[in-house]
Amino acid sequence: MPDKNFHIITFGCQMNVHDSRWLAGALAARGFVQTPLEQARIVILNTCSVREKPEQKVKTALGRVQSLTGGDPDVLVAVTGCVAQQLGQKLFEGNGQVRLVAGSDGINDVPGAIERLLGEPRLRLSLLDFTSRYVEREPAGHSRSHPVAYVNIMQGCDNFCAYCIVPYTRGRQKSRAATAILDECRALLGQGAREITLLGQNVNAYGRDKSGDGTSFADILAQVAALPGLERLRYVTPHPKDMKPADIEAFSSLAPLCPRLHLPVQAGADRVLARMGRKYDSQDFLDLVAILRKTCPDLALSTDIIVGFPGESEEDFDDTLEMVKTCGFMSAFSFCYSDRPGTRAALFPDKVAPERKQERLLRLQALQEELSARWLNDRVGQKTCLLIETRSPRQLGGEGETLWQGRDPYGALAHVVLPSGADHTGRMVPVVITRAGKHSLSARLEGDIW
């Protein structure tokens, strides 16, 4: 088994996916080779602690690695990300394969640490300190970019919502220098990217910390939008309380900025929002949605919702259902509340019974499925443009044709038949939507591909 074979297992959010892609590129630039898990000499678990039972999921994954490798002590296992930050050196206990634990800021040093560990077989390392400022990473060494690229513009969060572990596992907010962001965006566009998503735990608070260089979130949006070669621009995840007039106006003034916004509401009841520490009430959120839709009438909204927050009554939950109906979200990530260690809500005594949380979640998801289906069905007959990402996994019968898939400006996945014999990855394809499925659309080519 070659010493430099590695495999990465990723849990959680888009920022973790982005971190894993960077890790893979940085290791490849140092001569490492990405392989299937069964062939790996180095296994990296990039973890998330936002959802329920993350520690158990990591332990299960560690057990799977141990089983597949026969517990081979020469296999080096690294645990990175939020669970690593949360559990620290406890992850070394009872598993001799785990030799590196790296938290959210420590992930920057993982490639060098792995090289050191390969040379010192008895060594274990923990990289758990938070940095006071955003530290730039070494180049990942990609020669060709995916058509959809992701760029971190900040790290951490200062909000300390009552339920959220992010400030404890990702640290306090640190904004990245605008010059570094723009340099990375230019490089990605030069490597073939046509769409860029700006990432941050509280992305529209960019620049409002001691690491800021005077550039506001609206400023960095405008500067990225002006880069040659950029077709589409998106960002996640904003906080409703931090949406400024200039951020809203960007949806009408910046042509590449897509008419899609993921705006977490979390709950629809004022009493619950106050206990969560969200710093807005239901009317504030509805007013924001109204202003956004006045500025960008075709804006598609998605959201996050926590069901069964401590003390949530049936009336509170009804308010959440009403909020979902009023906003008409195109989609929603919804989940039952679970205690996260160290958060204020973990100490709240009035927990909602698990069976009641689950029953409410099912009701909410049934409502959202109706709204999502309605939104997709309303797209039928519309002209739009897809950015092709890959071949579709669906079967196709026509000779001389291939089924591809991409996303429209609203982020909806669509499948389209394109001429065979060419790689359409990264191409812009004008289409008409012909059919709505449960989670995606079908389309017909309508014009010239570019």
Side-chain angles (χ1 to χ4, degrees):
M1 186 186 299
D3 281 354
K4 289 199 165 185
N5 281 1
F6 73 93
H7 183 84
I8 302 177
I9 299 170
T10 306
F11 299 84
C13 67
Q14 187 58 62
M15 292 196 75
N16 270 23
V17 173
H18 178 64
D19 286 345
S20 292
R21 286 178 181 171
W22 171 79
L23 264 176
L27 287 168
R30 290 170 177 252
F32 290 78
V33 179
Q34 194 160 10
T35 66
L37 177 58
E38 294 80 3
Q39 301 169 20
R41 166 74 168 80
I42 300 130
V43 180
I44 301 168
L45 274 60
N46 193 15
T47 64
C48 174
S49 61
V50 172
R51 301 291 185 258
E52 191 173 7
K53 299 180 180 177
E55 302 93 336
Q56 186 56 50
K57 291 180 181 178
V58 171
K59 289 176 182 176
T60 300
L62 287 171
R64 177 173 169 241
V65 171
Q66 201 166 33
S67 176
L68 283 172
T69 61
D72 184 352
D74 289 332
V75 173
L76 189 163
V77 175
V79 183
T80 64
C82 291
V83 173
Q85 191 72 56
Q86 179 185 333
L87 297 182
Q89 295 188 13
K90 291 180 182 178
L91 288 162
F92 290 138
E93 298 172 4
N95 191 320
Q97 292 181 314
V98 178
R99 294 178 53 213
L100 175 62
V101 176
S104 302
D105 286 353
I107 199 170
N108 292 11
D109 298 318
V110 165
I114 287 175
E115 287 189 328
R116 182 182 173 188
L117 289 166
L118 289 177
E120 301 180 51
R122 295 186 179 181
L123 181 66
R124 283 180 159 180
L125 291 174
S126 57
L127 309 172
L128 300 170
D129 291 339
F130 286 119
T131 60
S132 59
R133 303 184 73 82
Y134 193 101
V135 178
E136 289 299 321
R137 293 171 170 175
E138 65 183 72
H142 295 296
S143 58
R144 179 74 182 168
S145 175
H146 189 273
V148 178
Y150 298 86
V151 175
N152 275 346
I153 69 169
M154 48 93 73
Q155 169 83 300
C157 183
D158 288 344
N159 284 321
F160 290 92
C161 296
Y163 54 83
C164 187
I165 199 170
V166 166
Y168 307 99
T169 58
R170 287 273 183 180
R172 302 298 294 270
Q173 179 175 315
K174 302 182 285 287
S175 294
R176 189 180 183 191
T179 53
I181 295 168
L182 293 169
D183 285 346
E184 183 176 352
C185 289
R186 288 190 193 96
L188 289 165
L189 293 170
Q191 294 163 7
R194 304 191 78 175
E195 175 180 310
I196 288 175
T197 299
L198 304 180
L199 299 176
Q201 275 84 19
N202 187 19
V203 70
N204 54 336
Y206 170 79
R208 300 181 210 166
D209 54 75
K210 62 183 180 182
S211 294
D213 61 5
T215 306
S216 70
F217 181 62
D219 291 338
I220 199 65
L221 278 180
Q223 291 173 30
V224 175
L227 293 175
L230 181 71
E231 296 285 348
R232 291 180 179 172
L233 177 61
R234 307 180 193 272
Y235 61 84
V236 289
T237 302
H239 195 297
K241 73 176 178 59
D242 291 319
M243 288 292 293
K244 302 301 181 186
D247 305 340
I248 298 170
E249 180 61 29
F251 283 102
S252 64
S253 63
L254 301 180
L257 186 60
C258 292
R260 165 69 185 271
L261 183 64
H262 187 75
L263 193 65
V265 64
Q266 304 298 6
D270 290 342
R271 192 176 69 87
V272 175
L273 288 169
R275 294 194 84 197
M276 286 179 167
R278 293 293 287 172
K279 300 181 177 66
Y280 56 83
D281 61 23
S282 58
Q283 192 58 54
D284 293 332
F285 190 88
L286 291 171
D287 290 346
L288 174 58
V289 168
I291 295 170
L292 282 162
R293 287 195 164 136
K294 182 178 180 180
T295 304
C296 182
D298 64 336
L299 184 68
L301 287 175
S302 55
T303 198
D304 294 334
I305 298 173
I306 297 172
V307 172
F309 188 77
E312 180 188 73
S313 66
E314 279 298 319
E315 292 76 14
D316 293 332
F317 180 67
D318 287 342
D319 287 344
T320 294
L321 294 178
E322 194 60 37
M323 174 69 80
V324 171
K325 292 175 188 175
T326 303
C327 292
F329 297 115
M330 67 171 286
S331 65
F333 294 106
S334 54
F335 49 94
C336 292
Y337 168 83
S338 63
D339 287 339
R340 307 309 311 127
T343 62
R344 285 186 290 120
L347 303 177
F348 291 174
D350 45 353
K351 300 294 193 294
V352 178
E355 60 274 12
R356 184 164 296 174
K357 288 191 290 187
Q358 187 62 33
E359 184 270 336
R360 290 176 184 171
L361 180 65
L362 292 175
R363 285 163 55 198
L364 171 64
Q365 291 178 341
L367 170 61
Q368 185 57 57
E369 283 182 8
E370 290 179 17
L371 295 174
S372 297
R374 186 184 308 165
W375 187 88
L376 287 169
N377 284 321
D378 285 346
R379 302 293 318 286
V380 175
Q382 292 186 14
K383 292 184 177 181
T384 188
C385 191
L386 304 181
L387 173 55
I388 300 299
E389 298 181 18
T390 184
R391 290 178 184 269
S392 173
R394 294 182 177 178
Q395 293 295 111
L396 182 68
E399 186 176 347
E401 298 175 327
T402 310
L403 194 61
W404 292 78
Q405 65 184 34
R407 294 187 184 274
D408 68 5
Y410 306 101
L413 183 68
H415 306 267
V416 62
V417 174
L418 298 176
S420 63
D423 183 358
H424 296 290
T425 304
R427 304 184 78 180
M428 306 297 295
V429 178
V431 300
V432 172
I433 303 301
T434 57
R435 189 178 67 84
K438 188 172 182 180
H439 300 294
S440 65
L441 301 164
S442 296
R444 179 183 70 247
L445 180 63
E446 188 86 359
D448 296 329
I449 301 171
W450 76 92

